[in-house]
Structures are given as C-alpha cells and as structure tokens.
Amino acid sequence: MSNNFTSAVRSELKRMLDLGCSFADVRFYDEDSSERLVIYDGNLEANYRRRERGIGVRVLKQGAVGFAATADLNALSACFDRALANAEAALWLLGFPKDMGKAQPVKGKYQPPFEKDPFELPLQEKLEFLKMVDERLKDKTVEHRMVSALFQKRRIHYFNTEGTEIERWVLNTFAEMVVMARDKEGRTQRRSYALDSDGTGTRGFEWLSDPKAFSEHTERIKKELGEIVAAETLPPKRRDVILLPGQGHLQVHETIGHPLELDRILGYELSFAGGSHVKPEMIGSLRYGSEKLNAKVMVVENSPGTFGYDDEGTPQHEYYLIKNGILVNVLCCRLDLAEANALAGKTVVRESGASARAAGFYKTPIDRMTNVCVEWGDDGTLDDIVRATEDGVILDMPVSWSIGSNREHFHFGCEIAWEVKEGRITKVYKNPTYQGHTLEFYNSLDMVGDRSTWRLFQVANCGKGEPNQIMEVGHGVPVMRFKNVITGEGR
Amino acid sequence: MLEDRIRTILLEARDYARRSGLNAEFSFHRERSSLIRLGNSAIALSTSEELTRLDVSVQDGRRVGDFTLTADITSLEQLKSALRQAEENCRNALPKDYDPIFGMVEETVDDTRGYDPELENISPNSKAELCAKVIKSLKPKGRYDFSGSWSTGSTEMFYITTANDNEAYRKMTDGRLVLVLKESIKKWELSVERTQKRANEFSADDVAQEFEALLPIYENNPGYKTPIGNQRVLFGPQAIAELVALSVWSGFFGRAYEEGRAFTAKNRPGDKIFSEMVTIFDDPDHPLVFGMPFDFTGKRRRLFKLVEKGVFAGVCYDSQTAAKYKKERTGHDLMNWDLVFVGGSGPAGLKEALALADNALYIPHLHYTHLPDPTKGIFTGSSRFNALLVKDGRFVSPIFSSRITDSIPNVFNNIVAVSAALVAQNISSTYERRSPEAMAVPSWLLCDNVRISDVADGF
C-alpha cells in the first residue's frame, strides 16, 4: 500500500473525529482473490478466479453507526462522507447508543502458516491434482462423482481513529469430494469427504496435496457409498446418537455457535436469520448442557477461523463459551458489549471476543463465529464409546439442516448411520435423520471422546446478516454421544 | 441504456477479443444498494454500497475459463487484463467431454421498465421516518421491540459476446421492507413485509394496521402446542413461495432430473404429479415478478411451463446441462427466476379462507427449510412469524414453533383450495451481489394431511 494512500486514510480518520464522530475505521482490501475449481463426472464445470479490491468505512457518531463502501480508490473522501451521512440518518431513530468502549490501540501483522501459495501455482498443477482424485473416485458402482477446491487469499489493511493499524493476510484452502449412486428404490445416495485437520499443519496447497489429508479418502467413501446403497432406511425411534466430527461440527455450528452470537441475542437478526433462545441475563448461569460440555473459542493456526485480528482490530484470543455445561460467554464484537450488559442489568460480557468479521470490503463487520470448538474429553476412543453403547447409531456428514428461528430446536439429515447394538457396530442404515431441542439435547451429552477423536472441520459458506454475508469458520469437535434422541422419520 | 462511458469500453473489449481470435462473453453487473437495519426499535446500522462487477468467460472448443473482477470499470486496459485472465484459465482448462454452448444474445434488449430513480435514491432519512412512525404508533401499546430491515437499490445488467453485435441490458429498482415486532417476555414475533418496485408503494399507516390486526390475538391468548401428526394447514404467501422454491429446486432442474436426483425423475412430461390446482410457470412478463428478460447466455426469456393443472410440463435446462445431455437450453442460466403459482378458484380474502379452512393451522412463514431427501421431495422447516390456530373459521391463538417434515408431492397433492388472488413475494438474495427476485403466489393455500413432526415449548 502506498504511503500516499496511508496518509490519506489517516487524514480522513482525523477528519471524522473533527466532524464529531467518536470512532471511525477503514478496511482496505488491497487484494481479495478466490479461485474455484470443480470437476464433475470428469468435466471441469467451474474454473474461475475472482479478484476484488476496495475500501469499507464505518463511522460512529453520537451512538449511531454508518457504513459505506466503494471499489473506487479515488473516492476515499466521498466514501467517508457517505458513511457519515448514513450514521447521521441513523440518528433519526436512535436506541441504545453504540459505544466502542475503552480505546484499544494495536499495531500488528498476521500471516497464516502455509508453504505453497495456491495462487502462485500454475492452474495446470492444481487441475492435475484434482483430476488424479477424480480418477480415483471412478468406479463401476459410482454413478456421479465430484471433486472441488476453493482457494482464498486476502490482504487487508485496517486503520481506526484509536491509532490501530494492522496488516494481515488470509489464506484458506477448502476441498470436498463426493460420490453418488442410486439405491434399489431409485433414490440417489451420497458419501463425501471434506478437507479437515487435527488443527496442526498449514493452510496452503501442500495440505490439500498431502495424501493423508485428502486423496487417501477416496477408497473409503466409495466403499461406504456401496454400503449405503445396499442399506435400509433408518427406522424411527429414540436411541443414543454418536456424532462423528463430520456431523458434530455442524451441530455445534448451528446450535452453539449461532445462538451465542451477541447480535442475535440482542435481536438484530430477527428479520432474517432469527434470534436466540439465550437472553443477556442468562450469560453466566444458563445450564446449556451436561457437565461434559466444554465449548471454547480456540485460536487454531490451521483454521479459517483464525486470522490474527478481527475487523475491529481486536487480537484473537481463547475463551470458554460453555464451561462444564454452564454458559459463561458469548461471541461478540466491541460495539454491542455495553448494550448487552445494560439489558442484563449487570456485567455479563467483559471484553470483545474478537468476533467482528466482514465478508469483504463492501460488507460491514458483524458478530461471527471464529473457531467455536468443543474440547475433547476423557471417554476414550470411538471404539471405547461404541463398546459402551447398548442401542445407538453413529452419524456422519450433513445432508440437510434446519433450525428453529431462535435455535431452540433442530432437524438434521446425514449421509450414513452405523447401528450400534450391545457395544458393536452391526449394520449400516441410509437416510438417517435426527431432531431435538437444543438444551435438552446438550444436557443428554454423556460421553466425549479423547484427543484422537478430535477433528477440525472448515465451513466455507456460513451465511448471515443484512446485507447478507458468507463467511469462513472452523470447528474442532471430538466424537460425542447423546442419550435418547429422536431419530428417523415417522409418517 | 448503459452509461455510454462503460458501454463504449465494454464494446471495445469485445472488439479486442474478436481481433485476438477469442470467443468471449462479458457480463456486467452494477448495483447501488442502501439498507437500514433495525434492532430494539432503533436503527442499528445504515449502509450503502456502490459496486461494479464484470464476469468474463472465454471458450475455446471444449475448454472454458472464467474471471470476475469487482472494481470500477475505468479503462480498456483493465478489461484486456480481465480477458487475459479468463483466456489463461481457458487455455489451461481440462477439455469437457461435450461441446459447451457459447453465449449469444438472441435479440437486443434494452429494458428499463422496472427502473424508478425515486426508489433508487430514497434516503435513509425517509426510511427511518417511516419506520419511526410505525414504531411510535405501536410501541406504547405493549412491551414490544421492533427489528427489521429495509433494503432498496438499483441493479444494472449488461451482456454481450463476440458471437454477434446484439446487446442485452436491463436496469431495475427493487425494495423489501421487513418489520418484526417482538414481545419481550413471551417472545412471540409478528412480521409485516412489503415488496416494492417503485417508491411510495406503502405507508406507515398500512404497515401499522397490519400489525394491529394481529396483535389482539397474540395479546389475549396463550400459545397453542399443536399435536404431532397430520394436520390441515393454511399456508400464507412466504410459506407458499418457499414451497414453490423447494419444489422447483428438487423437481425441475435439468441436472437433477437427468441424473435421477429429482423427485420427478421417474416421471415424464405429461404425467400427473400434483393436484390439478397446481400450475407453476416461470413467467418474466407477469406483472408481480421482477421480470428478467434474458439469461446469461443471451437467451431471451419467455413464459416457461413447469406444471400445468398438476401435469408435469417441463424441465429447466441451463446451458451446461443442455450441452451435456443434448437438450434445448430454456433460459435458466441465471439466479433470479420469475416463478408464478397461478391462482385458483378460492376466494381472495383471508377471512373467507378461514371460513373454508374451519379448523387448521395458519402458517404464513416457513423458516429455514431444507431437503433431507430431494429424490422424494422431502423437506423440513418450522413455522415462524404470524402463525396462528384457526378454530371454527377464526384465529384463536398463536401457535408455538412447529416443524413440518413432509414431501412436496404430498403437500401439492393434498390441496383443498387455492386463493384466486396473487401477491408478490420478494425472495431476493444479496449474498454475493444484488439479485432481485420476486415470486407471484396465491395469498393463501389450504392443504390437508401436512405432517407436523415436532413442536417447541415456545414461539
């Protein structure tokens, strides 16, 4: 970034203070690139690169927030003026005055660990790799197959009126493979694998091309697809449910992550994504689950939920959301803390959770998940948990997910179920579904697997906010067992 | 007509591509968006975005490469660079095992019928003023908080290719207001929604009146926990739009149909698949939809029949699927369709619908629907705003959050009556770019034997 542009940004921030703003910040996306490659049944059906560049400005005046964005870098002043005008318009109907709290100036840089930058590699090399995976997915039992990769690279400069100046790189690699075939009823079944990790390692192309991380899973998913195709539909009844991390990460995302986003708790998402069953005064006392439940925001290097500093300049740090089953904290940015504490009538949230995130230069930061993880426990390996189960199913990988508007109840469909009877896996079922009520469900958590069962999954497409934003997050979860859950569909 | 400066550069880029021997498509998208978001009866956020995007696609035989740029269009050099990126992607692409269809604008289109400068430029102040009036008129009457959003803006789309000299251009404005009233102790939520193509299509008074009509039922009655099992359900507009979208998604997409993943896969056009009261068209000329006149292969969009009187009428083929399966493309290379669920013979008004329903659940909104099994058209989703119990033809109580898990064929084969009156339902997405889309749906749809699979203890 040129010195002239930096000077112009600093000058504009000072101008906003002179015009009576209590706070202003600007994010300059010097480069925001993504590349998506999809090979479907051997055909390269998506082959695109996208590049974005621009600035997003947020100002706070007398407790009102205004935001404006432009891709025209010559229009910096005009963009600040529009953000200010938007804040002044919001003063027409001001509620609880927004406040950034105590100034927290930071200067820093962040770069994620990677060895091979996917954007520096020739397209042919990436396609050759994906084609190799595609070839491995071929099988006479597989009717359709897909392998895809998504690479992201961003350089973001952040400045605010408190003197914070941060430069950070974001680099993410996502990949998925899917095989499909029809069962005897003519219904298409699928089995998939998404690039995950144990949290260590790097985030570049070397991760994807490591056979253990991705390509080695082709034979397994083909075999399991064959078992699903030959299987019966899961009969409905109440039984224990053992969630593998492939399913557990989405369960945590939807029923711990989203309901604990402070903007949802405060009611800012009601017209779109919905609210939360949590009220501010419950923070610190609500029994969210059994004592086995420890949910935590983690800083995991090899995760799209780790990015150094959030879009308010707050450094990422670790903290518990749920400790031994009690709700102790929420996902929040600086802007909403005072309102939450005022509504609760006491201090329930002490500091920003570094959760202010924007999906691009043209989006305003909102409360988002980062790495909402469940800590591993001491109930042993998956085999140990299976041995301890009388009547249950092991479930993996989401097919569908539907959640109540306050995240109070849910319904999930999965790719595969393995029946467990008297401590042994007995057979495979297809089309498994399960449903429950969030607090009751987490209170039935009675076994949590050890470190060997813990995997970090990536979510590339978490949608939220108005204007809508798609964000990348990470979830590390162990194998978890829940008692007496409604499974399968009746009629 | 697109602004001369940008149009000239784009046409120069097309000529440059031709001179370079490239088959290239240029798809331009410009939006001016503005939104206020409300929370706790105040404006929590006021935003505006001015964004320009250009998608460039290059095709060489069976190879295709794409590049998207989000930045102001400032020079021919900038577009040449974007073209070179797409060309490089194309050159290094894997060849397909079929001949992809190259885009060509069938006929020149210059459509600005849906553009209203007054709506494009509506100020955040005037939005705030209307919302403040609604809140002020209702807030003193109870322990309410309001949230919501009001998004307005304009969208321009321009599409050209090297195949010929035709140009396709469309500029339109759209707006969507959603106001949510939440009771702070019991936590029930009411919503009032407005779709707009032009400014001044609604007032604070009529929004407030719609809330006021519902409030006594919520204030004076406890929540009703409906039994699990099959029920008669009277669906309202947002829920109907959701059902139509799910139906089209799981039953009428060419790719899913050809691969046997659609619930219609065992059917052929001409088969009866739904009640004869179901007719669904994609009709860009319908007055209640936003009307996308062309798709992004340059195909002119005309009325396309999906279901006519319950009979399977057609499958939608985007160009990729059409090329792969050697079918005719149907004008569906786009995000925003113009779906119409044709009205029936039922009375227009909700009051008459209640009398007809007699005893039923009124579910006007379906929240967070998904498809556990698209091959059977099985969907799941829960009730949300304004859901009420209908007893002896009257609203008697709000209902607790109730989940429906059923199949599209079952719901659309158990229709009792369909309203004759159609309403516009704005289903626009702004995830990636402003993408205006509205459906025309009956004001109500009465169905029997809809499966309620779960009920919460609260709203």
Side-chain angles (χ1 to χ4, degrees):
Chain A
M1 194 169 71
S2 75
N3 287 339
N4 284 350
F5 191 75
T6 305
S7 298
V9 165
R10 288 178 183 145
S11 166
E12 287 298 324
L13 288 169
K14 182 176 180 309
R15 185 168 70 90
M16 290 297 108
L17 291 177
D18 293 344
L19 289 169
C21 297
S22 57
F23 178 86
D25 63 9
V26 56
R27 286 171 293 115
F28 168 43
Y29 282 62
D30 189 345
E31 180 189 343
D32 185 347
S33 294
S34 60
E35 180 175 38
R36 183 161 173 75
L37 303 168
V38 178
I39 299 180
Y40 190 94
D41 288 347
N43 285 309
L44 182 61
E45 300 288 31
N47 173 26
Y48 75 76
R49 267 200 188 200
R50 185 172 64 184
R51 186 171 300 150
E52 301 183 341
R53 193 164 191 249
I55 48 176
V57 172
R58 188 172 62 154
V59 304
L60 190 56
K61 185 172 185 183
Q62 293 169 31
V65 184
F67 175 80
T70 182
D72 181 357
L73 299 184
N74 294 317
L76 185 66
S77 264
C79 190
F80 271 90
D81 287 340
R82 274 197 294 125
L84 179 59
N86 285 334
E88 286 167 345
L91 283 168
W92 266 74
L93 194 53
L94 186 66
F96 191 93
K98 295 293 178 185
D99 172 9
M100 297 301 287
K102 191 180 162 194
Q104 297 174 336
V106 177
K107 295 211 189 290
K109 286 190 175 185
Y110 175 78
Q111 182 165 308
F114 67 89
E115 291 168 14
K116 281 189 182 175
D117 179 347
F119 292 87
E120 297 295 323
L121 291 177
L123 175 60
Q124 276 179 331
E125 187 175 332
K126 289 174 275 192
L127 288 176
E128 275 168 21
F129 171 78
L130 294 177
K131 189 68 186 165
M132 176 272 290
V133 177
D134 174 70
E135 287 293 328
R136 289 191 185 187
L137 291 174
K138 275 186 184 171
D139 196 285
K140 62 180 187 304
T141 62
V142 173
E143 287 183 61
H144 300 288
R145 61 193 195 278
M146 190 267 287
V147 55
S148 68
L150 170 67
F151 307 108
Q152 297 171 328
K153 185 180 179 182
R154 302 186 182 109
R155 185 162 71 168
I156 306 163
H157 302 271
Y158 176 85
F159 302 83
N160 71 22
T161 47
E162 296 169 351
T164 291
E165 295 189 1
I166 289 162
E167 177 191 328
R168 59 195 178 98
W169 281 98
V170 172
L171 189 130
N172 291 318
T173 300
F174 299 92
E176 186 187 18
M177 60 173 96
V178 184
V179 284
M180 290 175 268
R182 267 175 275 203
D183 62 21
K184 57 196 172 195
E185 298 160 42
R187 296 158 72 176
T188 299
Q189 301 292 336
R190 55 174 273 159
R191 187 68 179 126
S192 67
Y193 175 72
L195 183 65
D196 64 18
S197 78
D198 65 359
T200 62
T202 55
R203 286 154 73 168
F205 191 76
E206 70 285 349
W207 176 25
L208 177 60
S209 57
D210 175 356
K212 282 184 185 151
F214 195 65
S215 59
E216 225 172 55
H217 292 266
T218 52
E219 293 307 312
R220 176 178 62 80
I221 67 168
K222 283 191 293 189
K223 175 180 164 287
E224 290 175 356
L225 176 69
E227 292 168 353
I228 296 168
V229 163
E232 300 298 318
T233 296
L234 180 71
K237 74 169 192 173
R238 278 186 178 268
R239 45 166 75 90
D240 295 350
V241 158
I242 300 166
L243 297 185
L244 299 188
Q247 177 61 29
H249 82 281
L250 192 70
Q251 179 74 47
V252 168
H253 178 94
E254 301 292 2
T255 57
I256 292 180
H258 278 309
L260 299 190
E261 289 164 342
L262 185 54
D263 56 352
R264 291 185 71 120
I265 292 171
L266 294 175
Y268 291 117
E269 284 280 316
L270 285 190
S271 57
F272 181 58
S276 172
H277 57 88
V278 173
K279 296 177 184 175
E281 61 271 25
M282 295 173 173
I283 303 167
S285 59
L286 176 67
R287 174 152 290 284
Y288 209 95
S290 74
E291 290 201 350
K292 294 271 184 182
L293 181 63
N294 287 292
K296 191 176 187 182
V297 170
M298 296 174 107
V299 181
V300 185
E301 278 295 278
N302 191 15
S303 166
T306 296
F307 36 80
Y309 304 84
D310 76 355
D311 285 321
E312 287 177 343
T314 306
Q316 283 193 277
H317 55 281
E318 297 200 339
Y319 56 97
Y320 279 99
L321 294 165
I322 299 166
K323 178 83 175 155
N324 296 331
I326 303 295
L327 176 68
V328 294
N329 211 334
V330 293
L331 295 153
C332 59
C333 58
R334 293 171 63 185
L335 203 59
D336 293 333
L337 293 182
E339 185 174 0
N341 291 330
L343 281 172
K346 58 184 177 182
T347 301
V348 290
V349 193
R350 294 186 185 280
E351 61 175 358
S352 166
S355 299
R357 300 179 73 189
F361 74 85
Y362 45 90
K363 305 286 187 183
T364 187
I366 54 176
D367 291 332
R368 300 298 296 229
M369 280 176 257
T370 52
N371 294 305
V372 175
C373 304
V374 171
E375 281 189 323
W376 52 84
D378 55 8
D379 291 315
T381 64
L382 173 62
D383 286 346
D384 293 330
I385 292 173
V386 167
R387 270 195 293 274
T389 301
E390 284 295 305
D391 180 15
V393 279
I394 305 168
L395 301 177
D396 195 27
M397 293 305 279
V399 169
S400 78
W401 49 97
S402 173
I403 304 95
S405 57
N406 288 314
R407 305 270 151 172
E408 70 284 49
H409 58 82
F410 59 84
H411 180 289
F412 289 102
C414 304
E415 289 179 354
I416 187 168
W418 291 270
E419 182 188 57
V420 178
K421 287 279 188 192
E422 296 171 358
R424 287 178 50 247
I425 293 173
T426 50
K427 62 198 289 195
V428 165
Y429 282 116
K430 68 184 178 185
N431 298 111
T433 60
Y434 69 105
Q435 57 184 306
H437 294 231
T438 302
L439 298 184
E440 180 185 301
F441 181 75
Y442 284 109
N443 272 294
S444 77
L445 174 66
D446 78 330
M447 291 190 87
V448 179
D450 63 20
R451 179 67 174 91
S452 73
T453 71
W454 193 90
R455 300 295 296 174
L456 188 125
F457 273 72
Q458 309 192 104
V459 176
N461 58 349
C462 170
K464 187 187 165 187
E466 292 176 296
N468 309 158
Q469 306 191 36
I470 295 175
M471 185 54 79
E472 309 83 37
V473 305
H475 299 292
V477 289
V479 169
M480 298 179 282
R481 188 179 79 174
F482 300 86
K483 297 293 286 180
N484 197 30
V485 178
I486 299 170
T487 59
E489 295 301 319
R491 174 78 224 181
Chain B
M1 179 72 81
L2 181 63
E3 181 188 338
D4 272 347
R5 177 183 65 85
I6 292 172
R7 178 172 170 268
T8 301
I9 300 174
L10 283 165
L11 294 182
E12 283 175 357
R14 181 175 70 184
D15 290 343
Y16 171 78
R18 280 175 175 158
R19 287 197 303 276
S20 306
L22 299 176
N23 296 317
E25 300 172 58
F26 298 87
S27 180
F28 171 88
H29 181 281
R30 181 161 65 181
E31 68 179 72
R32 289 188 65 198
S33 297
S34 145
L35 175 141
I36 60 166
R37 193 183 71 175
L38 294 107
N40 298 332
S41 306
I43 293 179
L45 180 67
S46 173
T47 79
S48 56
E49 296 90 27
E50 294 184 3
L51 297 167
T52 302
R53 295 178 178 89
L54 181 70
D55 302 306
V56 184
S57 183
V58 169
Q59 184 177 327
D60 180 14
R62 292 186 163 191
R63 295 174 198 267
V64 179
D66 302 309
F67 180 73
T68 296
L69 178 70
T70 301
D72 268 17
I73 303 295
T74 53
S75 70
L76 179 60
E77 282 312 307
Q78 183 193 27
L79 296 200
K80 283 180 180 175
S81 168
L83 184 67
R84 280 194 291 270
Q85 285 279 354
E87 182 196 0
E88 187 187 329
N89 276 10
C90 174
R91 194 173 52 246
N92 293 301
L94 302 168
K96 298 177 194 289
D97 65 7
Y98 59 87
D99 296 315
I101 294 169
F102 183 61
M104 179 178 70
V105 181
E106 284 182 350
E107 56 185 272
T108 289
V109 179
D110 186 356
D111 182 355
T112 55
R113 288 170 302 167
Y115 175 63
D116 174 24
E118 205 180 332
L119 180 56
E120 182 184 48
N121 294 307
I122 187 170
S123 74
N125 287 359
S126 56
K127 288 183 190 174
E129 194 176 349
L130 185 143
C131 293
K133 257 181 104 173
V134 175
I135 293 168
K136 197 175 163 191
S137 71
L138 293 164
K139 181 98 171 149
K141 296 179 187 170
R143 303 168 67 95
Y144 311 144
D145 263 323
F146 287 82
S147 63
S149 66
W150 189 352
S151 169
T152 54
S154 64
T155 310
E156 285 179 280
M157 294 173 226
F158 181 70
Y159 176 77
I160 52 175
T161 87
T162 51
N164 65 18
D165 287 344
N166 291 341
E167 301 167 30
Y169 176 70
R170 181 225 203 180
K171 184 177 188 180
M172 66 164 300
T173 41
D174 73 295
R176 185 184 186 205
L177 165 74
V178 182
L179 274 180
V180 176
L181 179 159
K182 182 166 193 161
E183 203 271 349
S184 58
I185 296 173
K186 292 182 183 170
K187 296 189 97 168
W188 41 257
E189 297 168 1
L190 304 179
S191 86
V192 171
E193 197 170 328
R194 293 287 183 271
T195 293
Q196 59 185 142
K197 289 182 173 181
R198 300 191 173 272
N200 304 316
E201 285 184 349
F202 53 87
S203 69
D205 287 344
D206 67 56
V207 171
Q209 278 167 19
E210 195 170 328
F211 277 123
E212 280 172 340
L214 289 165
L215 275 170
I217 307 160
Y218 275 80
E219 285 172 331
N220 301 327
N221 299 284
Y224 174 73
K225 191 170 180 176
T226 191
I228 289 169
N230 292 355
Q231 307 252 10
R232 169 172 278 201
V233 174
L234 182 66
F235 290 107
Q238 187 274 345
I240 299 167
E242 196 72 24
L243 291 173
V244 171
L246 290 168
S247 175
V248 171
W249 177 247
S250 60
F252 297 89
F253 269 76
R255 177 75 66 157
Y257 180 76
E258 295 292 340
E259 294 179 358
R261 289 183 282 112
F263 71 80
T264 53
K266 288 180 181 168
N267 296 106
R268 295 288 168 265
D271 289 355
K272 188 171 180 305
I273 54 171
F274 295 150
S275 151
E276 63 182 18
M277 284 180 267
V278 178
T279 295
I280 301 172
F281 297 153
D282 179 25
D283 182 5
D285 295 320
H286 194 282
L288 288 177
V289 299
F290 289 146
M292 182 63 189
F294 55 89
D295 79 351
F296 287 98
T297 58
K299 176 111 181 130
R300 188 75 161 100
R301 281 171 44 75
R302 310 273 186 209
L303 186 145
F304 185 83
K305 296 178 178 179
L306 297 155
V307 184
E308 190 165 24
K309 293 185 176 174
V311 174
F312 186 17
V315 178
C316 305
Y317 289 93
D318 60 74
S319 59
Q320 229 171 34
T321 310
K324 169 94 179 159
Y325 290 97
K326 300 191 184 337
K327 303 285 182 183
E328 285 294 311
R329 63 198 167 124
T330 55
H332 291 98
D333 279 72
L334 74 175
M335 293 298 292
N336 25 10
W337 297 25
D338 299 296
L339 291 167
V340 178
F341 190 122
V342 176
S345 56
L350 189 57
K351 196 175 171 188
E352 293 82 358
L354 296 182
L356 196 65
D358 195 23
N359 291 301
L361 302 176
Y362 177 56
I363 298 184
H365 290 258
L366 275 177
H367 175 72
Y368 213 134
T369 55
H370 215 305
L371 292 157
D373 186 355
T375 60
K376 280 197 159 183
I378 293 174
F379 69 96
T380 186
S382 55
S383 66
R384 199 173 176 189
F385 309 117
N386 308 3
L388 294 158
L389 175 66
V390 182
K391 202 167 180 186
D392 300 328
R394 290 173 42 246
F395 286 137
V396 295
S397 178
I399 61 173
F400 287 153
S401 181
S402 305
R403 175 169 295 281
I404 295 175
T405 306
D406 207 324
S407 76
I408 292 290
N410 187 61
V411 172
F412 281 171
N413 270 305
N414 278 289
I415 295 178
V416 178
V418 181
S419 169
L422 292 191
V423 294
Q425 181 65 40
N426 193 328
I427 56 164
S428 301
S429 166
T430 55
Y431 267 124
E432 289 270 334
R433 52 186 78 185
R434 193 167 192 89
S435 183
E437 182 175 4
M439 263 191 221
V441 293
S443 57
W444 55 264
L445 182 73
L446 182 61
C447 299
D448 271 340
N449 296 316
V450 178
R451 184 176 163 244
I452 307 294
S453 64
D454 188 24
V455 187
D457 292 324
F459 300 98

